[in-house]
Amino acid sequence: MGARSGRQYLDDLGRRRIHVQIDGDTTIGGTPDHPAFAGVARSYAELFDMQVSPEFRDVLTYPSPTSGDRVGTSFLVPENAADLARRREAFRTWANHSFGMLGRTGDYLNSSLMALGRAKSWFAQADPAFGENIERYYQQVREEDLLLTHTLIPPQINRSVSGGQQGGGALMAHVVREDDNGIVVRGARMLATIAPISDELLVFPSTVLRGTPEDEPYSFAFAIPTDTPGLRFVARQPLHGNRSAFDEPLASRFEESDCVVVFDDVHVRIQDFLHRD
């Protein structure tokens, strides 16, 4: 498929039944039209439109090495100084359009995923399948032009203990059981910025784990769609008060909602599984 337009992005997002709780309201699906997210969703759609416009197409996209379709420059693996300059210009073009007010545009995690894909051999040290998984996921996101959010750390209620001991071990997202088709995850993680308007959630190993045997149920990495059953996002109170863009020129267009991620016995299937120690 290659680089999406803004209309394609909004249509795909509108079909996702993303479960979001915000300011006392619960919405399942329709986030592009929700008052808290409509403005920033349109701003992201403008960035997608730039990819397919004649003016910016050659800056923001390049031919995919596998499909030949035009894909985002942020997925480009830099092999020389010219490639680095090309990536820089693409990042600058998007940042200029938003006046630098958007911090989680697609190029952010696209670049991270590109680097992870290039580290295929590192993932393969534990199991060759892990190396194949991370490279295949990088290619999928590149070819489908998916917008990602991510989560890194657990909620903290007691800073004197490790992440795996928060709330007696029940607070932080952890594996509660395994089956022949993957794992089941329960608990919470944070801080997933733009989750209500994104396509996929990347769950990275927590940066606060201490590597003890007790931490094993909390040590995993995977990627799942944002509308996976049992997955919900608790968004912070919005800064945008639904007043006009004249009164709220920044919040009405650029507020990227931050969310706590709640896993209510989410089944992460083997094909979603990237790596586990």
Side-chain angles (χ1 to χ4, degrees):
M1 181 179 73
R4 291 186 291 179
S5 67
R7 184 71 267 160
Q8 288 173 310
Y9 159 67
L10 291 175
D11 287 346
D12 290 342
L13 184 62
R15 284 190 286 267
R16 293 191 179 277
R17 294 182 55 78
I18 305 174
H19 187 142
V20 184
Q21 296 171 245
I22 181 168
D23 205 20
D25 180 36
T26 297
T27 178
I28 301 177
T31 53
D33 300 317
H34 191 283
F37 313 119
V40 70
R42 287 194 297 269
S43 294
Y44 270 67
E46 291 175 7
L47 300 181
F48 281 99
D49 273 336
M50 292 172 69
Q51 296 185 130
V52 298
S53 70
E55 182 180 1
F56 297 109
R57 178 175 180 268
D58 290 337
V59 174
L60 293 173
T61 66
Y62 73 104
S64 165
T66 56
S67 68
D69 294 333
R70 305 291 299 193
V71 295
T73 302
S74 52
F75 294 107
L76 176 66
V77 177
E79 303 288 354
N80 50 50
D83 288 340
L84 290 172
R86 187 174 185 179
R87 288 173 55 84
R88 178 187 63 202
E89 186 59 25
F91 299 156
R92 180 160 51 195
T93 298
W94 264 7
N96 285 345
H97 184 77
S98 68
F99 310 105
M101 297 303 299
L102 295 175
R104 288 297 182 266
T105 50
D107 47 9
Y108 169 64
L109 282 177
N110 292 352
S111 296
S112 299
L113 197 54
M114 178 274 293
L116 292 174
R118 291 294 283 178
K120 172 183 176 180
S121 60
W122 185 86
F123 285 93
Q125 292 179 97
D127 188 319
F130 295 149
E132 296 298 325
N133 281 353
I134 191 63
E135 182 179 52
R136 185 169 59 248
Y137 186 65
Y138 155 65
Q139 292 179 356
Q140 176 189 348
V141 175
R142 181 188 68 198
E143 299 301 318
E144 298 180 16
D145 199 19
L146 299 175
L147 179 62
L148 306 182
T149 183
H150 73 319
T151 173
L152 293 170
I153 61 174
Q156 291 183 312
I157 57 176
N158 182 354
R159 293 181 182 271
S160 68
V161 299
S162 68
Q165 296 176 302
Q166 296 290 324
L171 178 62
M172 182 177 175
H174 58 286
V175 177
V176 292
R177 66 177 182 274
E178 300 184 31
D179 58 31
D180 292 338
N181 195 30
I183 58 175
V184 175
V185 178
R186 181 187 303 163
R189 290 285 291 274
M190 55 192 303
L191 189 61
T193 307
I194 71 161
I197 62 166
S198 60
D199 299 300
E200 297 253 332
L201 170 68
L202 276 176
V203 180
F204 288 143
S206 172
T207 55
V208 300
L209 292 175
R210 298 177 181 177
T212 65
E214 291 76 19
D215 285 331
E216 183 177 353
Y218 309 90
S219 303
F220 45 73
F222 55 82
I224 54 175
T226 48
D227 58 352
T228 297
L231 183 66
R232 67 180 187 272
F233 302 101
V234 182
R236 61 164 168 75
Q237 185 178 31
L239 299 175
H240 176 35
N242 297 322
R243 291 186 291 272
S244 70
F246 179 85
D247 291 323
E248 298 180 331
L250 299 182
S252 64
R253 297 173 59 194
F254 303 130
E255 186 187 2
E256 299 167 301
S257 182
D258 301 310
C259 299
V260 175
V261 185
V262 178
F263 297 86
D264 188 3
D265 286 3
V266 173
H267 191 199
V268 181
R269 300 169 300 168
I270 290 175
Q271 56 262 44
D272 303 318
F273 210 30
L274 296 184
H275 176 67
R276 184 182 179 204
D277 292 325

